[in-house]
Amino acid sequence: MTEIPQSHRLSPRPLVSPQPLGELLAEMRSRTNPGLSAQGRVDSLLQAVLTIGGDLDLATVLRRLTEAAAHLAGARFAGLGVIGEDGGFTEFIAVGLSREQAERIGRAPNVPSAPSHGGSALHYSDLPDHSDLGHLSDNLPGRAGFLGVPIQVRDEVFGNLYLSEKENGGDFDREDEAMVTALATAAGVAIENARLYEETRLRERWLGASTEITTRLLSGADTNEVLAYMAAQAREIAGADTAVVMLPDPHARGHLFAEIADGPIAQEILGTPVDIHDSACGRVYETGEAMAIPDLHQANCPMLTHRGYGPGLLVPLGTPGNTRGVLLLGKLTERAPFDSNIRRMLHSFSAQAGVALELAEARRDTERLVVLEERDRIAKDLHDVVIQRLFASAMTLMSTVRLIGSSEAEERVQRTIDELDGTIREIRSTIFDLQNPPSRRDTSLRGRILRLAENTAHSLGCHPGVSLDGPIDALVPDEVGEQLLAVLGEGLTNVARHAHATEVHVSVVVEEMAVTGRPTALTLTITDNGVGLPEEGRRSGLRNLDERARALGGGFTARRGELTGTVLTWRVPVPDPEPGVSTL
């Protein structure tokens, strides 16, 4: 920043001194001529101080301060620049300036080093001769007279108050300087109060949002809904234009994806990927440290930068070493960066949200474990108690058949035995399903059979019924399972092409020896109610099914149904399980 020459300063003493407001007023009175106009200015100053201090809204306080300074000094134009951490203006309040002029001054990358750093007033009789004011002299409409006064809050310079072109055409005098100085000193207290009030209100809002997020997650609410609520609250409280929750995808390593978004362009950026290893989002995700970015072009974040976004704030969801994702907040290019209060509060907010996500995930894992343990207990009870009792009942009935003299009674008992045998098979199938965790169903043979049958529903014109019996996943070797799936797919395709059926049923059974429970064969049966096989004609589509069965030492048959349709039966032997494999 440009250092203001000593000759340009009004006096070597600091303008904002530790003097109390009463001493400044006494000094100002000693400098003014006695009379009604001087007393009137003092009264106006006191009234301005009361007006400024009577509100706790920071924007209102700054606006009233700028207007009061212009009125007391008789300036046509006034501006108050709030100085940010980078030395530029984060906000510029203007009186008498057009919106375009105020925006040009507010967006300027540098400001005069005095009075901010020198602590002395800047006092010029005309502006064109002072290039050290840079953008101020270029954009302030007044050409004659300039007064700059710092506004100090405690031990830091909060901003600069600029006045130009006195209404009577003269220059700003010592009385104007003392008047504006006293006003700025009193305003420092009002600004500090307003900042503390705003910070307290923001903290209260962040705390309320954090509590709501934690409550929702731990009460079992959907995680995506809670993340959407978090993004909306973060965008609103932080004053951002867009909020995006970036999460990793376990199936696409090396990238974060915009899973949740809130703001006017939310739908346009959902699903956008960002490289973890070559972006600011990725660095925040890997290090767990928040990052404020003056311009998102530096963050390799094209989903926002090419839509006119500049200032950004990246906050990890979670704690270092256990980051769940990244919360990205963006502002449009012309807006000021996020201040330190917002960054600090948002970091705490996101860390708490990350912990709540972790607790919610742990709770879901615990619930899943309880469910799996209960499934395993039910499976053991079914096997050790229910099946054994049904099997004993069936054996008792089988031994009773020889004692029955009536053929009708014998037939009924035999039918009951068959039903018990079918019930045992269904329970065994249920046991294997219970012992198969949901996470394995998509990759298990049972799951693949069900998915394949479901995927052919459109071409078949109906949903095929599927019956699975026996330890299919436990005892069917992988190579046999692959052949089974190929045969099932080809068989259903033949049905879809030629059968014109309205009902299709698929049955897969692992047959076992009654005494030892060892598997003997795997049988696939496809039944439909279509037109049936022709008496004569080509059957090349079924030849492949027969060849696959013979290659495994089995056989294949295709016949007409008892009434209508076709029955395809594909049967292959199943080798004995390896030692240690349970067959229940």
Side-chain angles (χ1 to χ4, degrees):
M1 292 189 180
T2 305
E3 177 64 27
I4 303 302
Q6 185 69 28
S7 59
H8 291 165
R9 297 180 181 174
L10 181 62
S11 62
R13 63 171 177 78
L15 185 61
V16 178
S17 65
Q19 290 177 280
L21 180 58
E23 294 182 18
L24 288 169
L25 289 174
E27 181 181 350
M28 186 273 299
R29 285 194 183 97
S30 68
R31 294 182 179 182
T32 57
N33 296 323
L36 181 62
S37 60
Q39 184 62 44
R41 295 183 73 185
V42 172
D43 292 340
S44 297
L45 172 61
L46 294 176
Q47 183 61 41
V49 170
L50 292 174
T51 302
I52 293 171
D55 202 297
L56 288 175
D57 180 67
L58 183 59
T60 303
V61 170
L62 298 180
R63 167 61 61 179
R64 289 179 178 178
L65 172 59
T66 309
E67 293 173 347
H71 174 70
L72 290 173
R76 292 183 183 274
F77 309 106
L80 192 160
V82 180
I83 300 175
E85 297 174 356
D86 60 352
F89 289 143
T90 61
E91 188 176 2
F92 191 82
I93 296 96
V95 173
L97 277 68
S98 67
R99 181 177 179 181
E100 292 73 16
Q101 290 170 324
E103 288 180 350
R104 282 198 298 270
I105 296 175
R107 289 197 299 268
N110 53 21
V111 295
S113 58
S116 300
H117 297 275
S120 302
L122 291 179
H123 195 174
Y124 301 128
S125 59
D126 56 72
L127 289 178
D129 297 334
H130 300 281
S131 58
D132 50 13
L133 290 178
H135 61 282
L136 284 175
S137 61
D138 294 335
N139 293 287
L140 285 174
R143 298 289 89 192
F146 174 84
L147 178 62
V149 177
I151 303 171
Q152 209 162 320
V153 177
R154 292 189 178 180
D155 296 329
E156 64 177 88
V157 177
F158 175 79
N160 290 334
L161 189 58
Y162 304 109
L163 305 173
S164 68
E165 192 166 334
K166 200 170 177 65
E167 291 178 352
N168 60 11
D171 191 12
F172 295 105
D173 54 24
R174 305 284 286 190
E175 288 84 4
D176 296 324
E177 179 185 343
M179 189 75 65
V180 176
T181 299
L183 179 65
T185 303
V189 177
I191 291 172
E192 177 68 5
N193 290 337
R195 288 172 64 182
L196 291 174
Y197 174 74
E198 182 176 320
E199 185 175 339
T200 301
R201 188 174 57 179
L202 276 175
R203 185 179 291 110
E204 183 180 355
R205 294 183 66 186
W206 285 122
L207 181 60
S210 298
T211 302
E212 180 65 18
I213 288 172
T214 303
T215 301
R216 290 190 182 192
L217 283 172
L218 297 183
S219 63
D222 181 72
T223 302
N224 285 339
E225 292 181 3
V226 178
L227 289 176
Y229 172 80
M230 181 191 70
Q233 290 296 304
R235 182 177 77 88
E236 179 183 349
I237 300 175
D241 295 296
T242 292
V244 187
V245 177
M246 310 291 296
L247 298 176
D249 187 337
H251 303 295
R253 297 183 181 276
H255 287 84
L256 296 173
F257 291 86
E259 296 292 343
I260 307 291
D262 186 80
I265 61 170
Q267 296 302 318
E268 302 175 32
I269 62 180
L270 284 176
T272 304
V274 173
D275 193 333
I276 290 181
H277 306 294
D278 188 29
S279 67
C281 289
R283 289 195 295 275
V284 171
Y285 176 74
E286 291 182 328
T287 63
E289 298 294 335
M291 181 184 300
I293 303 176
D295 189 344
L296 284 171
H297 283 90
Q298 306 168 8
N300 191 16
C301 186
M303 64 180 170
L304 291 184
T305 50
H306 75 274
R307 292 182 170 90
Y309 282 75
L313 182 58
L314 302 172
V315 185
L317 296 177
T319 55
N322 193 25
T323 306
R324 303 285 168 160
V326 176
L327 175 61
L328 166 61
L329 297 180
K331 289 185 179 182
L332 294 173
T333 302
E334 65 272 12
R335 299 190 59 196
F338 298 93
D339 61 33
S340 58
N341 284 337
I342 292 295
R343 296 201 301 269
R344 184 173 61 255
M345 293 182 187
L346 183 61
H347 194 189
S348 175
F349 170 74
S350 62
Q352 184 173 351
V355 172
L357 286 173
E358 184 176 352
L359 290 175
E361 184 174 335
R363 179 182 55 79
R364 288 192 296 270
D365 290 342
T366 301
E367 291 176 351
R368 283 194 292 267
L369 180 61
V370 170
V371 171
L372 291 176
E373 290 178 347
E374 182 65 12
R375 290 165 62 92
D376 188 59
R377 184 191 65 78
I378 294 173
K380 289 181 178 179
D381 287 347
L382 287 174
H383 175 264
D384 297 339
V385 180
V386 178
I387 285 185
Q388 300 303 326
R389 289 181 178 179
L390 290 175
F391 187 76
S393 298
M395 294 295 292
T396 300
L397 291 175
M398 289 178 64
S399 62
T400 306
V401 170
R402 298 190 302 268
L403 305 177
I404 299 176
S406 169
S407 59
E408 182 179 354
E410 182 180 349
E411 182 181 351
R412 290 184 179 182
V413 172
Q414 187 60 51
R415 190 183 308 120
T416 302
I417 293 173
D418 294 340
E419 290 176 355
L420 285 173
D421 185 60
T423 301
I424 292 173
R425 289 178 177 274
E426 291 178 2
I427 293 176
R428 290 171 66 86
S429 179
T430 301
I431 292 172
F432 287 113
D433 191 53
L434 286 171
Q435 292 181 329
N436 223 6
S439 58
R440 287 184 50 202
R441 289 181 188 170
D442 291 339
T443 58
S444 66
L445 182 56
R446 284 172 171 265
R448 296 172 69 185
I449 292 171
L450 292 171
R451 189 165 61 251
L452 176 59
E454 183 65 24
N455 291 341
T456 60
H458 180 73
S459 59
L460 290 171
C462 63
H463 289 273
V466 180
S467 173
L468 305 177
D469 187 8
I472 297 173
D473 291 327
L475 300 183
V476 176
D478 292 341
E479 61 274 14
V480 177
E482 293 298 330
Q483 291 294 327
L484 171 70
L485 292 171
V487 171
L488 176 60
E490 191 169 347
L492 291 176
T493 299
N494 284 331
V495 173
R497 289 179 179 177
H498 309 296
H500 305 290
T502 59
E503 292 183 12
V504 180
H505 185 78
V506 175
S507 173
V508 179
V509 178
V510 173
E511 301 175 17
E512 300 172 90
M513 297 180 64
V515 177
T516 63
R518 287 189 171 185
T520 58
L522 171 66
T523 303
L524 166 65
T525 304
I526 303 176
T527 306
D528 67 74
N529 66 345
V531 297
L533 291 172
E535 294 295 338
E536 296 179 358
R538 297 178 57 188
R539 297 192 180 185
S540 57
L542 304 179
R543 188 178 302 120
N544 291 334
L545 308 185
D546 185 60
E547 291 176 355
R548 290 180 184 273
R550 291 181 181 276
L552 295 174
F556 169 77
T557 61
R559 59 180 178 83
R560 295 177 66 89
E562 295 183 2
L563 299 177
T564 60
T566 305
V567 178
L568 306 179
T569 304
W570 188 83
R571 191 172 187 273
V572 296
V574 175
D576 289 342
E578 297 179 2
V581 176
S582 172
T583 63
L584 290 182

